[in-house]
Structures are given as C-alpha cells and as structure tokens.
Amino acid sequence: MGSQSLDPKLVALGFALVAAPFVILFYLSIGPLGWTALGGSVVVIGVVVTVRESAEFDPANRLERTNCENCGARIDADADACEYCGADR
C-alpha cells in the first residue's frame, strides 16, 4: 500500500478542536478591561506600522531637511531657496 497524506482540512479541524477550549478559557478570563487594553495595543501598533511604512516617512531623509528661516517650512538642507516662500538661503 502506498503512502497516503491526511486531508489538510481534517488536520486543521483537529487542531481547532484541540485549541478551542483554551481559546474560550482565555476569552473568558481576560475580561472587558483586558480586551480594551489588547485592542488599544493593536490599534497603536497598527498606527505606528502604517506611519513608518508610509511613503512620506523616511528616517534618512529627515536628517537632510531643515526649516526655512523665513517661513519655517521643511525644505531640503542643500536648497538654495525655499520652495514655499521663495526666500534665498
């Protein structure tokens, strides 16, 4: 007789049946304040990850920018003039 593999759906169902009691106990034991703290943590982590991965956020680029002496806008450190107010540097 040849080698036979288990159906992945059957394996997943077995894992779910084993894990379900522990998930239910965790759900009941953490309480409303715990769920609020857990949800708030996930939101904060999501915001941080989104900001860090946005196209405008570049830590290396932040070091190469400065404020315009005239209007205070963020401009390139090596710019000859401010792109917002036109003041010479």
Side-chain angles (χ1 to χ4, degrees), residues 56-68 72-79 82-84 89:
E56 297 173 8
F57 183 82
D58 186 9
N61 193 19
R62 291 182 61 133
L63 300 175
E64 299 172 5
R65 297 183 66 80
T66 187
N67 290 346
C68 171
R74 295 291 289 170
I75 58 173
D76 290 335
D78 58 352
C82 176
E83 61 188 76
Y84 296 98
R89 295 201 52 214

Side-chain angles (χ1 to χ4, degrees), residues 1-61:
M1 196 187 263
S3 159
Q4 294 190 9
S5 64
L6 292 174
D7 183 24
K9 292 178 186 176
L10 184 61
V11 173
L13 178 63
F15 279 120
L17 290 174
V18 169
F22 297 106
V23 171
I24 292 170
L25 286 175
F26 176 74
Y27 177 77
L28 294 175
S29 68
I30 195 169
L33 291 178
W35 285 109
T36 303
L38 184 64
S41 300
V42 170
V43 168
V44 169
I45 291 170
V47 168
V48 168
V49 168
T50 302
V51 168
R52 300 251 337 152
E53 291 181 353
S54 70
E56 297 173 8
F57 183 82
D58 186 9
N61 193 19

